[in-house]
Amino acid sequence: MTNQPKKILTPRRQVIKGIAAGAALGATSIPLWGRYAQSQSSEPIKIGFQVHRTGIGAAYGRWYDRTTMAAVAKINSEGGINGRQVEIVSEDDGTDPKRGAEVVEKFATQHNTDLAFGTLFSHVVYGSAPRAGELKIPYFVVSEGHHVASGALNRYTMQPGITDVKSQVQAMAPYVASTLGKKVTMIYPDFAFGHDHRDYFSAAIEREGGTVVEKIAIPPTETSFTKYFPKIPRDTEVIYHVMVGPAVLTFVKEMGEFFGSSRPEIFGFIDSLEAVDLSSPGLEFLEGTYFWEGNPRYAQANQSEYDKAYRAAVGVDNNGASVSDSKDVATYAHMFGCWETLHIVKAGMEASGYRGTGDRAKLIEAVEAMTDMPHSHAHPQGAKRFNGKTHQVFGHQYITRVSNGRLELAHTTSIEDTLYPDETDYTTQSF
Amino acid sequence: MVISSFSFGFASMARLGLIAIAAVISVLCPMRSALAHASGQSFVMLLPTGVYTVTGVIVVGLTIVLLAATPPGGLSRLIKPRALFSMPRSRRVIRFIHALAGVGFFFLIMRGVQGSTDPLRNPLPLGFWVVFWMALVMVEGLLFSVWSWLNPWVFAYHLMRRTTRWQVKRDWPRRWGAWPAVITLFAFAGFTLADPAPNDPLHLARVIMGYWLFTLTGMLLFGFRTWSRHVEVFSLFFAWFGRLRMLSVKQRQLCLGLPGWQIFQLKTPAQANTGLSSAIFVLMMLGVGSFDGFNETFFWLGWINVNPLDFPGRSAIIFQTLGGLLLANLLLVAVFGMLIWLGHLAASDTAYLHHRLADLIRAYAPSLLPIALAYHIAHYLPSLLVDGQYVLLMMDGLMGSDVHLLGLGGFHVTDGFFKHQDTVRIIWLTQAGCVVTGHVLSVLLAHHIAGGFYHNRWETMISQMPLAFFMVAYTWLGLWLLASPKGG
């Protein structure tokens, strides 16, 4: 959180030169340009918000919506983007990949939005991104999926506001190995989500001199876990769990009953308990265990002024719950991505002198040119480093420990911990 | 000035209302479908739902035993309504409300076409799915008639007939019965459960407008009443659930009776008051409601080879959903028919000579209405509690984002009641209570219907045994559905 960047939103020089030249040409050599520019400037920037209003992502969607609206209110109150107000055009994708592609198409052809934004669930991203590429509409996702950085998508798809799962998982390994233990048993759901964790973490912990002593894959439809716990080897020093779905509280309860008071260290991803109050009955067993958090749910002792302002804007209290209902815990570890992405869109549009949909390529180039982003009101989660080639941002990760029913910050990773070699270079693709 | 005083008046009322809603919510919190992270269903899975389920099943079983011991005529006295007082009726007021309903309908359609693309901010999806489909069906079944006031075809139909002097010339073919309504109910259920985007405002506006035109055309061809009784799904749906109200106006008298008393008003139970197609419609009301819930369970998703934790979206399972919907309804009709036929055979070795299976289905089908309504309430209560807040916000902002008609500026929609075990327990028990009550009432109605077929207690009791098994099994199914892990 305290790392300061070396550069601040540095677009490539040629982009700026091109924009400056274009602006000069437009202002002086074409008589009607001024009128056109005037009419453009009076129209709002339209951002298509692909939101999970229904389907399995609906609970996340509600908080993504709330964060998005708060970010837009802030941006508009500060003068908008290039002097134009921002308008959000929301479309429900039903957390459905096929519907997601249709929504992107609506943004491009019906609503004529300047870009599409906001998708969380990675299978929806995967289903929608090809259509965004075909229709040449910038598609800013807030998904955590590794799809973007893997090179599986296209030049129009970017993830500049939230880190991807590969970097998150590998950044956990140094702390786990040095502080919690080197012999790890992984418990994960037996499908792609769990497999990503298994593969990324296994490789990362071995680089730290540790080993995964057992990999316990749980069938997705499993609702009782007692038969799996005896498979945990006795020499296990750390359990790494990343269970999701309706049986997750049962998993925690049964794990507590299995170990009793004597247990190894336990580390999990907050995805399991996102939006769940940790003081809920049955979760006492989690006391003293560790979690990855994309953004600490509870306001920490070293809370930044940016986090404070961000919480106030979205309406989240110091416990990570809605200011209007202390039981309504936010999806705090993820939703900051909407806030930060919209600020990057603003920065990209301002850097590229964005005027309208004809400048979409310029916007993408401007974002591709970004590198370091400082911890600021635009980036309340922490400093970031964007990789223009892979269209993926990297940033600090947080490890918190459950203490008296709160998640207290135990460790902040460096950005370097999250980096991995480029797997693609989207800038080589033409528009 | 008018607005400000209006909003001032409503501001305090609305806040009081919200406090009341919050109180209700804290008592009635049910669960929405499973999410990628821990949800209300996670807390349900920590509850002793097995014990609760067994208790619910025992309650229904005891009801059956008690009924067997009830003297003949005892139930009839319970079901017979009592007239309370006469109700005034003004044709002008009714016409005015019908005109208002017509205007409101087109306002909603217009907002669907031109308003926000966000289904939780657009009045059409909120009005249709949340207010009309979720809430008003409950109101119709429990409190008072709403469909007769809000029917959006009444005003347009009479207006067109008067202005064009149109005469209805066609007779409804008797053999068609209400089978077209069975098809429209299936089509509506298919749209609700299988369409990838039933909430999309523009899509919904087109579908509703298409159906409205189809219905108006049918009404003009065959007559308002004929079409309403044989094809129009909502008229029939509301009419059947309306027959469960304890309070209802009959011949201008407000009458009170046990839920279901209206079913027996026209003819004797044995004669039944419905054709076979209408009876199938009633069975489908339950079949659709049962499948809408079952289709979210791990059991069903596993059956169609879908990972519930990585649900691929509605688009990927359209045909599976439609197929399941059809199968569920066929299965229900087949099992129900088989069991009442078995009971009939067991009760009397000669009675089957006088009553065909179709007669029995026609007579007994309405006894399932309380279960259908209970499922509707239990299933939609969670969504209603959350989406109802969006309705309030939408109404608050009808005059623009700067004017808060209900004084709800700064109000945030919450689903915090799904995130605590205490509230989740109360909610689950409320839902379960609904389901059990529905089954108890169905058992009573079925027993009363049986009394019309048989003239001694022994035969009546024997005839009810297979149906009793059905009721107990369906109670278990309903409670199992509430307790099951869900995805999708």
Side-chain angles (χ1 to χ4, degrees):
Chain A
M1 281 176 79
T2 53
N3 288 6
Q4 292 301 314
K6 294 172 185 170
K7 299 176 189 173
I8 302 173
L9 295 178
T10 316
R12 289 179 184 153
R13 282 184 184 171
Q14 62 270 31
V15 173
I16 295 175
K17 280 182 183 172
I19 292 162
L25 181 68
T28 57
S29 62
I30 304 175
L32 291 177
W33 179 260
R35 194 187 300 168
Y36 174 70
Q38 181 60 38
S39 74
Q40 285 286 300
S41 65
S42 61
E43 289 176 4
I45 300 275
K46 287 166 73 175
I47 295 180
F49 181 26
Q50 189 185 32
V51 57
H52 305 325
R53 277 301 202 190
T54 51
I56 56 171
Y60 277 103
R62 187 164 63 83
W63 280 101
Y64 266 43
D65 175 76
R66 197 159 151 178
T67 309
T68 295
M69 295 306 167
V72 168
K74 171 184 175 284
I75 290 170
N76 283 339
S77 71
E78 292 169 351
I81 299 176
N82 288 333
R84 294 162 63 186
Q85 293 287 286
V86 177
E87 178 188 324
I88 292 291
V89 179
S90 304
E91 284 275 2
D92 176 22
D93 62 17
T95 328
D96 179 334
K98 187 167 179 288
R99 176 69 186 159
E102 291 168 4
V103 162
V104 166
E105 187 169 334
K106 284 178 86 174
F107 289 144
T109 59
Q110 286 183 31
H111 305 309
N112 202 28
T113 61
D114 293 280
L115 54 96
F117 143 88
T119 326
L120 167 61
F121 275 57
S122 53
H123 66 320
V124 183
V125 170
Y126 208 67
S128 307
R131 199 76 189 108
E134 288 162 13
L135 296 169
K136 301 187 184 303
I137 182 170
Y139 183 42
F140 288 81
V141 302
V142 191
S143 152
E144 294 187 316
H146 182 57
H147 300 318
V148 179
S150 72
L153 303 179
N154 53 58
R155 193 161 186 189
Y156 283 87
T157 305
M158 322 188 92
Q159 186 153 250
I162 194 165
T163 57
D164 72 324
V165 64
K166 182 171 182 176
S167 69
Q168 293 166 0
V169 171
Q170 77 166 33
M172 299 298 101
Y175 183 80
V176 170
S178 65
T179 311
L180 305 182
K182 291 188 186 299
K183 293 180 179 174
V184 182
T185 291
M186 297 190 74
I187 306 176
Y188 52 90
D190 195 8
F191 69 101
F193 171 79
H195 297 166
D196 281 350
H197 279 265
R198 177 196 64 195
D199 299 341
Y200 299 145
F201 187 77
S202 299
I205 197 76
E206 281 175 18
R207 285 197 295 272
E208 300 297 325
T211 52
V212 175
V213 292
E214 185 63 61
K215 297 170 182 173
I216 302 175
I218 311 280
T221 52
E222 190 60 85
T223 55
S224 179
F225 307 91
T226 47
K227 66 182 174 214
Y228 298 98
F229 295 126
K231 293 180 182 174
I232 299 170
R234 287 183 179 277
D235 61 345
T236 296
E237 293 169 353
V238 187
I239 289 174
Y240 179 113
H241 67 95
V242 61
M243 297 302 294
V244 290
V248 67
L249 297 184
T250 309
F251 170 79
V252 171
K253 176 174 166 277
E254 292 180 352
M255 186 160 65
E257 288 166 355
F258 178 79
F259 283 116
S261 58
S262 168
R263 60 163 175 78
E265 294 287 4
I266 293 177
F267 175 86
F269 262 62
I270 200 66
D271 302 46
S272 306
L273 296 169
E274 184 76 314
V276 173
D277 187 346
L278 290 177
S279 61
S280 300
L283 297 187
E284 300 86 355
F285 172 70
L286 291 175
E287 187 70 16
T289 70
Y290 295 80
F291 280 99
W292 164 89
E293 284 194 280
N295 198 16
R297 175 192 299 183
Y298 292 86
Q300 302 297 318
N302 65 343
Q303 183 189 24
S304 68
E305 60 174 303
Y306 314 124
D307 183 66
K308 204 169 187 175
Y310 163 70
R311 278 177 196 265
V314 182
V316 175
D317 66 18
N318 285 341
N319 295 324
S322 171
V323 289
S324 54
D325 180 4
S326 62
K327 291 180 178 176
D328 188 10
V329 179
T331 55
Y332 205 75
H334 297 84
M335 66 199 207
F336 70 88
C338 294
W339 179 282
E340 299 206 4
T341 301
L342 286 170
H343 282 84
I344 288 162
V345 167
K346 172 182 161 70
M349 285 185 166
E350 289 175 349
S352 64
Y354 185 87
R355 290 172 182 273
T357 52
D359 292 336
R360 283 169 171 167
K362 286 182 185 174
L363 169 63
I364 288 172
E365 285 180 329
V367 176
E368 283 174 347
M370 293 178 183
T371 53
D372 287 314
M373 308 167 185
H375 191 194
S376 61
H377 285 297
H379 300 284
Q381 184 265 356
K384 303 279 185 312
R385 187 176 302 160
F386 187 67
N387 184 332
K389 289 181 179 176
T390 63
H391 285 194
Q392 177 60 55
V393 81
F394 296 85
H396 303 287
Q397 308 298 323
Y398 301 96
I399 296 174
T400 50
R401 183 171 181 270
V402 183
S403 177
N404 296 320
R406 285 172 53 93
L407 289 157
E408 300 289 355
L409 187 61
H411 177 68
T412 303
T413 74
S414 68
I415 292 180
E416 285 69 26
D417 286 340
T418 71
L419 300 176
Y420 51 81
D422 292 353
E423 296 170 20
T424 190
D425 183 357
Y426 287 117
T427 61
T428 60
Q429 294 181 8
S430 70
F431 285 107
Chain B
M1 283 300 288
V2 172
I3 289 170
S4 59
S5 61
F6 179 71
S7 67
F8 176 78
F10 267 79
S12 49
M13 282 173 62
R15 289 202 180 280
L16 279 174
L18 280 175
I19 292 168
I21 288 170
V24 170
I25 282 168
S26 67
V27 177
L28 295 178
C29 320
M31 284 50 63
R32 303 184 104 190
S33 53
L35 306 168
H37 63 80
S39 64
Q41 206 64 24
S42 309
F43 290 103
V44 169
M45 293 183 68
L46 295 180
L47 298 176
T49 52
V51 176
Y52 299 155
T53 300
V54 169
T55 308
V57 168
I58 288 174
V59 168
V60 175
L62 281 178
T63 308
I64 293 163
V65 173
L66 276 176
L67 277 176
T70 305
L75 198 55
S76 299
R77 280 195 292 278
L78 257 180
I79 285 176
K80 192 178 176 186
R82 279 135 185 90
L84 299 178
F85 49 81
S86 62
M87 293 285 287
R89 184 181 171 90
S90 163
R91 282 188 179 277
R92 281 187 181 177
V93 172
I94 292 171
R95 279 182 194 149
F96 176 72
I97 292 176
H98 282 151
L100 216 59
V103 172
F105 173 78
F106 281 103
F107 167 77
L108 287 178
I109 295 293
M110 246 178 55
R111 296 312 298 156
V113 174
Q114 297 176 338
S116 169
T117 50
D118 183 344
L120 294 179
R121 290 192 173 91
N122 189 298
L124 180 65
L126 288 173
F128 182 75
W129 290 118
V130 183
V131 177
F132 173 71
W133 182 240
M134 293 181 194
L136 291 187
V137 168
M138 298 181 197
V139 171
E140 181 84 25
L142 297 176
L143 301 174
F144 49 84
S145 172
V146 284
W147 179 248
S148 59
W149 302 93
L150 298 180
N151 187 325
W153 287 284
V154 178
F155 183 70
Y157 174 77
H158 288 296
L159 189 71
M160 286 200 72
R161 281 200 63 189
R162 276 182 199 159
T163 51
T164 63
R165 296 190 178 175
W166 177 268
Q167 293 294 316
V168 173
K169 292 169 186 170
R170 293 170 192 268
D171 291 328
W172 185 257
R174 280 181 67 90
R175 68 178 186 281
W176 288 7
W179 292 113
V182 169
I183 296 169
T184 50
L185 176 57
F186 185 83
F188 175 67
F191 176 65
T192 308
L193 300 178
D195 188 283
N199 287 318
D200 179 79
L202 182 60
H203 178 50
L204 184 61
R206 285 173 178 157
V207 171
I208 293 178
M209 205 53 214
Y211 181 66
W212 187 84
L213 286 171
F214 165 73
T215 300
L216 187 64
T217 308
M219 286 174 165
L220 289 171
L221 286 175
F222 292 98
F224 184 89
R225 283 196 174 188
T226 303
W227 195 263
S228 298
R229 289 177 177 179
H230 298 93
V231 189
E232 207 289 290
V233 60
F234 300 112
S235 299
L236 280 167
F237 206 91
F238 276 76
W240 277 115
F241 273 158
R243 289 177 188 177
L244 292 178
R245 276 197 313 276
M246 296 179 75
L247 278 170
S248 187
V249 178
K250 293 292 168 199
Q251 296 169 337
R252 299 198 178 185
Q253 290 285 315
L254 185 67
C255 302
L256 174 70
L258 194 78
W261 64 267
Q262 297 178 69
I263 293 170
F264 307 108
Q265 281 301 291
L266 299 176
K267 295 177 182 178
T268 62
Q271 287 174 309
N273 57 4
T274 177
L276 179 64
S277 51
S278 291
I280 299 297
F281 184 92
V282 170
L283 290 177
M284 278 183 67
M285 287 169 72
L286 176 59
V288 167
S290 305
F291 185 70
D292 184 8
F294 180 72
N295 68 336
E296 296 169 355
T297 60
F298 276 22
F299 184 83
W300 166 253
L301 293 172
W303 210 35
I304 60 172
N305 206 22
V306 164
N307 176 358
L309 303 186
D310 196 21
F311 185 66
R314 282 176 155 221
S315 302
I317 55 165
I318 291 174
F319 293 111
Q320 292 92 324
T321 304
L322 290 176
L325 183 64
L326 183 63
L327 273 178
N329 282 289
L330 289 175
L331 191 67
L332 176 65
V333 172
V335 170
F336 184 75
M338 187 185 75
L339 291 177
I340 54 174
W341 184 243
L342 271 178
H344 195 61
L345 287 181
S348 166
D349 54 3
T350 55
Y352 71 91
L353 295 173
H354 306 295
H355 299 290
R356 295 178 304 135
L357 175 61
D359 295 335
L360 296 170
I361 292 177
R362 283 164 57 197
Y364 280 104
S367 71
L368 298 185
L369 282 169
I371 307 179
L373 182 62
Y375 273 39
H376 183 91
I377 296 170
H379 181 72
Y380 283 118
L381 204 53
S383 302
L384 188 58
L385 288 170
V386 177
D387 295 342
Q389 298 173 66
Y390 285 103
V391 172
L392 288 176
L393 278 180
M394 180 269 293
M395 290 167 68
D396 183 60
L398 273 180
M399 300 294 288
S401 56
D402 297 331
V403 181
H404 297 288
L405 290 175
L406 304 179
L408 298 181
F411 172 74
H412 295 290
V413 171
T414 179
D415 67 355
F417 35 84
F418 296 143
K419 297 171 182 170
H420 272 252
Q421 193 164 22
D422 291 344
T423 45
V424 166
R425 178 189 288 110
I426 297 168
I427 294 161
W428 195 93
L429 289 173
T430 306
Q431 288 177 293
C434 236
V435 169
V436 171
T437 306
H439 283 83
V440 166
L441 285 172
S442 282
V443 166
L444 291 176
L445 294 183
H447 194 82
H448 184 62
I449 290 166
F453 281 103
Y454 312 102
H455 299 295
N456 69 63
R457 209 173 0 163
W458 175 252
E459 280 189 357
T460 304
M461 198 181 74
I462 294 295
S463 79
Q464 290 300 282
M465 288 183 75
L467 203 54
F469 167 77
F470 175 86
M471 296 293 186
V472 167
Y474 226 82
T475 308
W476 176 84
L477 173 71
L479 298 177
W480 175 81
L481 281 176
L482 289 179
S484 286
K486 298 185 181 73

